[in-house]
Amino acid sequence: AAAAAPLAERRRPDAGVADAGVVKAASTPGSSRLTVAKDAEFARLEAEMKKPFVCPEAGCGKRFKLKTSIHAHQRTHSGQEPYACKEAGCGRSFKWRSSLRHHTKIHDREELGNVRVQNVV
C-alpha cells in the first residue's frame, strides 16, 4: 500500500489555513492579514469577557476574573499592608495573609527555643 500523501498535499489549495491551525474561508490575495487580525481581535475580546476587571493603575492593565482579586492586587501598587503581626513587640505587617501566616511561625519557633529563627522572614 502506498503511503498517504503529506497533509499539505492532501489539503485543497483554496482551504486557506491561518495561524494556530484554524481553518479559514477561501482566501484572496491580501485577505489572510485581515483574517489573522480578526482572530486576534476575537481572542482579545474573549480574554476581556473571561477577566472583566482591569487594574486602574497607569501602565499596569492586569486583568482579573474576580473583583476581590483586583482589590488584593492593588496592594502591590499602594504599599498597603493590612495584615499585622499580633505578637507583642514585633510590629511587622504584610500585604498578604499568607505572608503573615508564614511569619507567625517565627514566633512559634521562638517559643520552642529553635535557634534557626533568623533564616525565616
Side-chain angles (χ1 to χ4, degrees):
L7 182 60
E9 293 175 29
R10 288 184 279 157
R11 191 176 289 138
R12 290 189 349 249
D14 63 342
V17 177
D19 296 21
V22 179
V23 176
K24 302 294 168 196
S27 60
T28 57
S31 69
S32 63
R33 284 189 206 133
L34 178 62
T35 304
V36 171
K38 285 181 180 179
D39 287 347
E41 177 69 7
F42 178 78
R44 185 187 64 76
L45 292 172
E46 187 176 40
E48 286 178 5
M49 289 181 354
K50 288 181 180 178
K51 295 183 176 183
F53 300 100
V54 182
C55 178
E57 187 72 24
C60 182
K62 193 162 182 171
R63 305 184 75 85
F64 301 90
K65 285 182 183 181
L66 304 173
K67 197 170 198 172
T68 55
S69 298
I70 195 166
H71 290 306
H73 165 76
Q74 286 176 323
R75 288 195 296 264
T76 63
H77 300 298
S78 70
Q80 179 187 13
E81 294 182 341
Y83 301 101
C85 180
K86 293 181 170 107
E87 185 74 22
C90 180
R92 298 274 318 258
S93 59
F94 303 90
K95 290 180 184 177
W96 316 113
R97 184 181 297 141
S98 61
S99 297
L100 174 61
R101 271 188 253 135
H102 180 75
H103 167 78
T104 57
K105 291 178 183 179
I106 290 174
H107 301 300
D108 295 341
R109 289 179 187 160
E110 287 173 346
E111 290 175 10
L112 295 173
N114 189 337
V115 292
R116 294 180 52 202
V117 173
Q118 69 274 8
N119 294 334
V120 180
V121 176

